C-alpha cells in the first residue's frame, strides 16, 4: 500500500512559484546534540535527501529555496518522520523526541492547511483501526464470513464518510498545493470528472511548476481517458518468465477482464488474494479472466508471492515500483486497485473489492 500519509478559509490562497527569497527552517531538539537531522523531499513518490545538518546546543537550521511548496519529511537520528510542507518563508520546527507526532511546525501557510486536513483525517483513522484489527484477527483465525462481512461493511461506511470529507476539503481549498497533494495521493480514484475538472481549472498558472499540480492535471486527462465506457488503453510488460505480454492479449477478446494492480510487498493486496483466487476459480470457465499487474521492484519477491498465493492468472510487471508505466497510464496511486472491462474491452467499473466485486460478477456472469 502506498506509504505516503495521510479549516475553512474565507479566501483563495495564492502562491507564486517565482518567489526566490528562500526558506529558513529553524528547529529545536532538546537532548539531541550531535545527532543528524535529515530533510527529505518527496519527488515522484520517492524520498530524496534535500539537506542534512548536525544538532548543536539543541538547535539546527536549514536554508534553501523551493519554486513551489513541497511536501517534506524530517528525521532526527532514528526518530521520524515529521511530515510538513515547506515554502519560501520562515519556518519553525519544535521536535518532540518523546513523541514525534507531537512535534510542531509553524510558519508555512500551506502547512497550516495540511495540519487542519490531517487533524480531520485522524478521527476517521481512529474509527477504522479497531475494525481493521478485528478483521485481520478473524482472517488469521477460523473463518467467520458473517463477522468478516459485517466488519467490512462498517469500514466501508467510514471510508465513504472520509472520502466525502476529503472531497469537501479540496473543494473548499482550491489553488493550493496541499489540495493537489491530497487528490494525487488519496482521492483521485474517487472523484468524477465533474468534481475534478473545476478543481484543476482553479489553479493559477504560477503553480504549474508544482509536481503535485502537474500530476493533478495529468490525472484529469487520465480520468477522462479511463472513465466508464471508454476502451482500455493497451500496455506491454514482461511476464515472470521474461516474455512480452500485452493487455490486448486478453482484453477485448470476448471475456470480462479484471485488471488487478497489486504487489508482493502490499499487505492488503496479499490479504485480498485468497478471495480473488476463489472468484477466479468460480468464474474462469464462464467467460472471466484476470490480468495481474504488479508494482514490485524485486523479481524474486514477485515470483515467490505469485506461487505462495496461488495466483494462476496471467501476470506482468516492469518492476518499476511506483514508477510503473501501467500505474502511470491508469493513474494508480494506491493498491490494491482493480479495473473491470466488458467483453469488448470497455471500462465498466473501477476500484471494486470483496463484496462489491462479488456482486458485480454475479450480475454480469450468470
Amino acid at each position: 500500500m502506498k506509504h505516503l500519509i495521510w479549516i475553512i478559509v474565507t479566501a483563495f490562497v495564492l502562491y507564486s512559484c517565482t518567489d526566490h527569497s528562500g526558506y529558513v527552517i529553524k528547529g529545536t531538539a532538546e537532548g539531541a546534540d550531535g545527532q543528524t537531522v535529515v530533510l527529505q523531499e518527496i519527488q515522484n513518490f520517492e524520498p530524496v535527501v534535500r539537506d542534512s545538518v548536525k544538532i548543536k546546543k539543541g538547535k539546527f537550521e536549514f536554508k534553501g529555496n523551493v519554486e513551489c511548496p513541497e511536501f517534506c519529511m524530517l528525521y532526527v537520528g532514528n526518530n521520524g518522520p515529521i511530515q510538513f510542507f515547506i515554502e519560501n518563508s520562515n519556518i519553525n520546527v519544535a521536535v518532540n523526541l518523546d513523541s514525534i507526532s507531537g512535534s510542531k511546525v509553524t510558519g508555512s501557510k500551506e502547512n497550516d492547511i495540511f495540519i487542519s486536513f490531517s487533524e480531520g483525517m485522524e478521527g476517521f483513522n481512529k474509527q477504522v483501526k479497531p475494525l481493521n484489527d478485528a478483521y485481520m484477527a478473524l482472517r488469521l483465525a477460523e473463518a467467520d464470513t458473517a463477522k468478516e462481512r459485517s466488519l467490512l461493511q462498517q469500514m466501508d461506511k467510514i471510508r465513504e464518510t472520509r472520502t466525502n470529507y476529503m472531497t469537501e476539503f479540496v473543494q473548499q481549498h482550491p489553488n493550493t498545493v496541499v489540495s493537489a497533494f491530497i487528490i494525487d495521493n488519496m482521492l483521485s480514484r474517487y472523484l468524477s470528472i465533474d468534481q475534478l475538472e473545476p478543481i484543476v481549472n482553479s489553479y493559477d498558472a504560477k503553480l504549474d511548476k508544482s509536481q503535485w499540480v502537474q500530476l493533478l492535471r495529468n490525472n484529469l486527462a487520465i480520468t477522462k481517458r479511463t472513465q466508464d465506457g471508454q476502451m482500455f488503453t493497451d500496455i506491454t510488460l514482461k511476464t515472470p518468465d521474461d516474455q512480452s505480454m500485452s493487455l490486448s492479449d486478453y482484453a477485448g477478446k470476448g471475456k470480462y477482464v479484471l485488471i488487478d494492480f497489486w504487489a508482493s510487498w502490499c499487505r492488503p493486496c496479499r490479504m485480498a488474494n485468497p478471495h480473488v483466487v476463489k472468484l477466479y476459480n468460480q468464474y474462469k470457465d464462464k467467460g472471466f479472466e484476470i490480468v495481474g499487474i504488479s508494482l514490485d521492484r524485486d523479481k524474486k519477491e514477485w515470483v515467490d508471492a505469485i506461487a505462495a498465493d496461488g495466483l494462476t492468472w496471467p501476470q506482468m510487471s516492469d518492476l518499476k515500483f511506483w514508477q510503473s508505466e501501467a500505474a502511470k497510464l491508469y493513474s494508480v496511486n494506491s493498491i490494491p486497485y482493480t479495473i473491470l472491462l466488458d467483453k469488448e474491452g470497455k471500462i465498466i467499473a473501477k476500484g471494486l473489492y470483496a463484496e462489491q466485486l462479488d456482486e458485480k460478477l454475479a450480475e454480469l456472469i450468470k
Side-chain angles (χ1 to χ4, degrees):
M1 180 185 289
K2 197 161 185 183
H3 52 272
L4 294 176
I5 55 112
W6 313 96
I7 183 166
I8 305 285
V9 294
T10 57
F12 291 172
V13 184
L14 300 176
Y15 293 100
S16 170
C17 290
T18 57
D19 178 4
H20 295 285
S21 58
Y23 63 79
V24 178
I25 301 174
K26 293 185 177 181
T28 58
E30 297 298 329
D33 283 7
Q35 293 192 37
T36 300
V37 183
V38 178
L39 180 66
Q40 296 181 344
E41 177 183 315
I42 299 300
Q43 296 179 5
N44 296 319
F45 297 110
E46 291 287 343
V48 176
V49 174
R50 188 176 185 90
D51 205 349
S52 64
V53 68
K54 293 283 188 181
I55 298 174
K56 297 179 180 179
K57 297 182 180 180
K59 297 180 179 181
F60 61 90
E61 182 174 302
F62 293 107
K63 291 183 179 181
N65 183 280
V66 288
E67 286 192 298
C68 292
E70 293 290 353
F71 178 72
C72 291
M73 300 187 296
L74 188 144
Y75 290 85
V76 179
N78 295 322
N79 297 290
I82 301 170
Q83 301 168 324
F84 61 104
F85 276 83
I86 64 172
E87 58 190 279
N88 293 328
S89 63
N90 294 318
I91 300 170
N92 296 299
V93 180
V95 178
N96 184 338
L97 291 175
D98 295 326
S99 175
I100 283 294
S101 62
S103 301
K104 302 294 184 183
V105 180
T106 57
S108 163
K109 293 180 180 179
E110 285 274 353
N111 196 62
D112 289 344
I113 299 173
F114 179 65
I115 289 172
S116 178
F117 170 76
S118 300
E119 289 174 346
M121 290 292 287
E122 186 60 29
F124 297 113
N125 297 337
K126 287 180 179 178
Q127 293 179 60
V128 168
K129 187 179 185 306
L131 295 173
N132 188 61
D133 290 346
Y135 175 75
M136 291 174 62
L138 278 176
R139 293 297 303 271
L140 294 173
E142 185 175 347
D144 188 329
T145 304
K147 287 185 179 179
E148 287 182 13
R149 181 170 297 180
S150 175
L151 289 168
L152 286 172
Q153 289 174 341
Q154 292 178 67
M155 286 190 284
D156 283 344
K157 288 181 179 178
I158 295 171
R159 291 185 182 115
E160 182 179 353
T161 305
R162 183 179 64 186
T163 299
N164 291 337
Y165 163 75
M166 290 191 289
T167 302
E168 291 175 3
F169 188 94
V170 299
Q171 289 172 338
Q172 292 165 352
H173 298 82
N175 207 39
T176 64
V177 173
V178 170
S179 286
F181 175 85
I182 293 168
I183 297 171
D184 292 332
N185 287 280
M186 290 171 265
L187 191 57
S188 60
R189 71 163 73 173
Y190 302 109
L191 294 180
S192 66
I193 291 177
D194 290 341
Q195 292 173 308
L196 188 58
E197 193 154 28
I199 296 172
V200 173
N201 291 339
S202 75
Y203 279 88
D204 189 283
K206 293 178 181 179
L207 282 177
D208 280 346
K209 291 183 180 179
S210 166
Q211 62 172 318
W212 305 111
V213 174
Q214 291 174 8
L215 186 58
L216 183 56
R217 296 194 190 283
N218 185 55
N219 281 342
L220 175 60
I222 293 172
T223 299
K224 288 182 175 180
R225 191 176 68 237
T226 60
Q227 63 183 316
D228 290 0
Q230 294 294 314
M231 287 293 293
F232 77 96
T233 302
D234 201 14
I235 188 166
T236 300
L237 302 173
K238 293 291 187 179
T239 65
D241 57 359
D242 290 324
Q243 299 299 308
S244 291
M245 176 179 128
S246 300
L247 186 55
S248 58
D249 293 339
Y250 301 92
K253 303 292 186 182
K255 289 186 177 183
Y256 292 103
V257 174
L258 183 74
I259 308 173
D260 180 29
F261 289 90
W262 73 294
S264 67
W265 49 263
C266 168
R267 187 172 182 181
C269 302
R270 303 295 298 276
M271 289 181 65
N273 277 342
H275 186 74
V276 182
V277 169
K278 179 181 176 182
L279 283 177
Y280 186 63
N281 290 334
Q282 181 179 352
Y283 292 109
K284 65 179 182 179
D285 297 325
K286 300 178 180 180
F288 176 65
E289 187 58 270
I290 300 176
V291 174
I293 300 181
S294 168
L295 271 59
D296 273 284
R297 51 185 165 190
D298 185 292
K299 183 178 179 180
K300 185 178 185 304
E301 291 179 359
W302 173 40
V303 173
D304 288 349
I306 291 172
D309 292 1
L311 311 184
T312 58
W313 50 85
Q315 297 282 344
M316 60 181 182
S317 178
D318 54 14
L319 298 176
K320 291 184 178 179
F321 197 46
W322 285 111
Q323 297 309 306
S324 163
E325 295 303 319
K328 293 178 182 178
L329 189 65
Y330 284 96
S331 192
V332 176
N333 51 40
S334 66
I335 51 176
Y337 186 64
T338 61
I339 300 173
L340 184 62
L341 308 178
D342 69 8
K343 295 180 180 181
E344 287 72 44
K346 293 180 180 179
I347 297 170
I348 53 177
K350 299 187 291 291
L352 297 182
Y353 309 100
E355 190 174 84
Q356 294 175 326
L357 185 55
D358 291 359
E359 293 174 354
K360 190 65 176 180
L361 291 179
E363 171 193 327
L364 295 171
I365 306 174
K366 306 297 183 181

